[in-house]
Amino acid sequence: MERRQFLKTSAIAAAGFSILPSGRLFASAPAKVRLGYIGVGARGMSHIAEGLLRDDVEIVAICDTQESSLKICREYIAKKGHAPVKEYTGGLDAYKKLLDHKDIDAVIIATPWQFHHPQAIDAMKAGKYVGCEVIAGLTVEDHWDIVNTSEKTGIPYMTLENVCYRRDVMAALNMVRQDLFGEIIHLEGGYQHNLRGVLFNNGKQYYGGGVEYGPKALSEAQWRTQFNIDVDGDIYPTHGAGPCMHYANINAGNRFTNLVSFSTKAKGLAAYVEELSPGHPNAKIHYKNGDVTTTMINCANGETVLLSHDTHLPRPYSLGFRVQGTKGLWMDVNKSVYIDHKSKEDDSWDPAKEWFDKYDHPLWKKYEKFAEGAGHGGMDWFVFNAFVESVKQKRQTPIDVYDSVTMSVITPLSTKSLKEGNASVAFPDFTKGKWKERKNTFALDDSGF
């Protein structure tokens, strides 16, 4: 089965209908979803690739401020045998002309983090579904703006957090829902990934090869490095927080109540630059973002969640998931599961694969052929498909605006905690009390439950 085959029956959306008015929910659905792309750099191009593989997607327009990115995208679209699409470029407000298109149903936003908030606000006001890369805004107020605009316009906003669809993450969710781990007590996750080659390059290639950032660099090093210079806090919390929220039913019978963050000294990035280019000015920069930032979050129902941001030091990739309950636990780092009275031996680990093969999530079992070859081990297909199907069916997105801002707002809250000497910071209730009645329906549609 080819991935480009039209998915006529999939129904992955449905995280509750608290935003979309009933008239929009039950209006006739389009045969194709007409997409506009704001930002077609490295991450935006991955979404372009997903869109070109689908018969139910039409790419109408693209926007980027850099001709180099537009050129790569233009050539890729032509290589795939598709007609040229409308392009917008120039100043930072060029995207507004894309939003004027009446024939665009939804936008994919994959620009630097500082632009997500205004672009998403304008897109929702223009009546476009928003699928936005991680980090909804830079301040707590930004996140409230996203919620209030989505509620006022009735337009869904979805953070495109692909790790929520990672195969082992979803298998663990399946096990949580079947009570294999018992009552959930403690959760862990994070972003533990050597990003030094992402934050610095030689200006000729996207990753590595040099120690430049900003205007002298390419891709993410042009903008992402600056956040590590200016901000001390967990600046990328969603990979860990998103899945943990689903395990703990956050915003659906449970909520985050407060957090505390701790940050180590910052030595890794300067040491990396000095090693590659002794005496380089970038080795003398004071990088504010600690090499390891740890955030502990309390939940209304008594669980704790531990998040880690660790991207400046040499280390193998791991998101460090831990799902622990009264009957057992899964630990991502050692790829192991232990279930009391069901594992092979008492107090001895089983390989996680044995459990995850047995409890593979029904969505993965059903759609794995479509995800073959997609980015990040296939999970990019699932998150893109979830968004497209929601737009096509005029439904709420499975990661809705409340979940999106909850996992993202950890960044400014973490920063505030650190500035105030590791103070406990109250967590906003973006649902305004609706969390008490909402149900966790993430990935339940068409899953066999």
Side-chain angles (χ1 to χ4, degrees), residues 233-392:
D234 188 336
I235 60 175
Y236 204 94
T238 64
H239 280 346
C244 287
M245 287 172 59
H246 294 141
Y247 298 141
N249 297 318
I250 299 302
N251 292 333
N254 199 3
R255 66 175 290 256
F256 291 150
T257 59
N258 64 300
L259 64 72
V260 176
S261 288
F262 293 85
S263 186
T264 70
K265 56 189 174 183
K267 297 294 182 180
L269 296 182
Y272 173 76
V273 173
E274 181 65 24
E275 179 183 2
L276 293 186
S277 183
H280 194 283
N282 291 344
K284 299 177 174 61
I285 293 173
H286 173 61
Y287 297 90
K288 289 185 180 179
N289 196 21
D291 292 335
V292 179
T293 300
T294 305
T295 300
M296 180 68 82
I297 307 175
N298 274 319
C299 300
N301 292 344
E303 306 90 344
T304 52
V305 178
L306 181 67
L307 302 178
S308 177
H309 182 267
D310 174 1
T311 65
H312 303 167
L313 302 169
R315 61 158 301 132
Y317 173 85
S318 170
L319 297 187
F321 285 112
R322 174 173 170 176
V323 177
Q324 188 165 14
T326 55
K327 297 180 182 178
L329 73 163
W330 163 49
M331 293 193 71
D332 173 31
V333 175
N334 61 343
K335 295 180 172 56
S336 297
V337 166
Y338 176 74
I339 305 297
D340 200 21
H341 307 309
K342 294 185 179 181
S343 285
K344 295 175 184 176
E345 298 181 24
D346 286 345
D347 300 329
S348 295
W349 294 107
D350 293 333
K353 187 177 185 302
E354 295 178 1
W355 287 91
F356 289 168
D357 284 348
K358 182 177 180 180
Y359 291 97
D360 192 19
H361 196 283
L363 285 182
W364 265 97
K365 287 194 283 190
K366 185 167 185 177
Y367 296 117
E368 63 179 323
K369 292 297 182 182
F370 291 96
E372 288 179 357
H376 294 93
M379 59 190 180
D380 281 0
W381 179 86
F382 278 93
V383 72
F384 187 84
N385 182 68
F387 179 68
V388 168
E389 286 293 327
S390 300
V391 180
K392 189 166 62 177

Side-chain angles (χ1 to χ4, degrees), residues 86-121:
K86 186 68 176 177
E87 297 181 11
Y88 295 94
T89 189
L92 295 178
D93 61 350
Y95 73 93
K96 294 181 180 180
K97 295 179 180 178
L98 180 148
L99 295 178
D100 287 338
H101 265 270
K102 303 301 182 186
D103 57 347
I104 289 178
D105 303 307
V107 295
I108 300 287
I109 298 174
T111 52
W113 300 334
Q114 60 266 37
F115 303 123
H116 289 181
H117 165 255
Q119 290 169 348
I121 294 289

Side-chain angles (χ1 to χ4, degrees), residues 57-78:
V57 166
E58 177 187 353
I59 298 176
V60 175
I62 59 176
C63 177
D64 204 289
T65 59
Q66 298 190 14
E67 169 59 25
S68 57
S69 294
L70 288 170
K71 181 175 183 292
I72 292 172
C73 187
R74 185 185 308 131
E75 293 175 348
Y76 184 81
I77 289 173

Side-chain angles (χ1 to χ4, degrees), residues 188-262:
E188 295 182 15
Y191 195 40
Q192 302 177 143
H193 188 188
N194 177 6
L195 290 185
R196 297 175 300 173
V198 173
L199 299 176
F200 299 98
N201 59 53
N202 58 9
K204 300 177 182 178
Q205 61 196 52
Y206 280 178
Y207 306 116
V211 295
E212 301 295 345
Y213 78 95
K216 295 181 180 180
L218 289 179
S219 192
E220 292 173 77
Q222 291 181 328
W223 58 270
R224 188 169 179 173
T225 312
Q226 193 66 46
F227 281 93
N228 293 271
I229 296 172
D230 296 339
V231 179
D232 190 15
D234 188 336
I235 60 175
Y236 204 94
T238 64
H239 280 346
C244 287
M245 287 172 59
H246 294 141
Y247 298 141
N249 297 318
I250 299 302
N251 292 333
N254 199 3
R255 66 175 290 256
F256 291 150
T257 59
N258 64 300
L259 64 72
V260 176
S261 288
F262 293 85

